[in-house]
Amino acid sequence: TSKFTSALDIPVEFVEKNVKLRGKLHHITEKGLEVEHIPISIPFITSIQRKWQSKGLLLVRLAGVELAPSGTAWLQQELKPKQTIWFQLLGREDLALECLVLVNKGRFLSMCLNEEILRQGLGRTARIEGLHHDSRLYWKIHKRLLRAELKALKKNKGIWKEESYSERIRDRISNNKFVQTLKQFVSWLRSSIQR
């Protein structure tokens, strides 16, 4: 029932047991999501506790995901301020929490943002910080993230989008040493003629 205002407030057992917490989204930054923790409410006790609760936001990072700049923009477009999200604790690094972040989509559906970012091709799979590399949970989550990334790769989405044949030919011609030397010669010739 207590409100966590810093990553260090969260007990080690919560992180070790991968507890899910609820929060209200405030900001999306390059560092991660800034979330206000919403504690479990018990009618009478919660109203008394609110008076003494301190203010503070938790920094929640998408575990196992290396976001591309387009990924941050997508999150800012997809998520609304004050939106309620669930985050499952996987690890804690300094003042940031490594989490699986879930967003409700309708009454019975929820979307894992970690997987969706990769499915859209807006990031790459990375090591899940905080989880032991040899644990079952690590490999279960890592496999899910890799599958999502593979879908984006197969569909040429986001950062995996391949250039068309004509774009590749144009790039090869413009990057060719002979063509670059020829361009330099032409620009030198023009400047010497204008003098």
Side-chain angles (χ1 to χ4, degrees), residues 41-48 50:
S41 59
I42 300 170
F44 179 69
I45 297 169
T46 305
S47 59
I48 295 170
R50 268 196 203 121

Side-chain angles (χ1 to χ4, degrees), residues 158-176:
I159 60 173
W160 305 110
K161 186 177 180 206
E162 286 188 19
E163 297 178 21
S164 68
Y165 181 72
S166 59
E167 288 172 330
R168 278 185 284 178
I169 295 294
R170 189 174 355 114
D171 286 347
R172 284 190 186 146
I173 290 172
S174 64
N175 292 336
N176 185 303

Side-chain angles (χ1 to χ4, degrees), residues 38-148:
I38 301 171
I40 296 170
S41 59
I42 300 170
F44 179 69
I45 297 169
T46 305
S47 59
I48 295 170
Q49 275 185 327
R50 268 196 203 121
K51 295 173 186 170
W52 292 288
Q53 286 175 344
S54 57
K55 300 272 187 250
L57 300 176
L58 300 172
L59 180 62
V60 174
R61 288 198 298 228
L62 300 174
V65 177
E66 184 185 311
L67 269 179
S70 54
T72 307
W74 182 83
L75 282 172
Q76 290 169 339
Q77 185 181 10
E78 190 71 19
L79 301 175
K80 295 158 191 67
K82 306 290 183 195
Q83 182 173 354
T84 302
I85 62 171
W86 288 88
F87 50 102
Q88 183 177 4
L89 303 170
L90 299 178
R92 175 172 45 202
E93 193 179 327
D94 300 324
L95 294 174
L97 299 167
E98 297 288 330
C99 303
L100 280 180
V101 180
L102 301 163
V103 177
N104 286 339
K105 288 284 181 191
R107 191 173 219 152
F108 301 107
L109 296 173
S110 65
M111 170 178 68
C112 176
L113 285 180
N114 308 53
E115 287 181 59
E116 192 58 30
I117 286 280
L118 295 171
R119 205 176 289 123
Q120 297 293 329
L122 303 171
R124 285 184 156 79
T125 307
R127 188 175 188 283
I128 302 168
E129 298 299 330
L131 271 183
H132 291 291
H133 201 66
D134 54 353
S135 71
R136 266 184 82 211
L137 182 62
Y138 180 95
W139 289 106
K140 181 182 172 187
I141 293 170
H142 197 63
K143 220 185 316 182
R144 279 174 44 195
L145 297 178
L146 285 171
R147 269 194 217 115

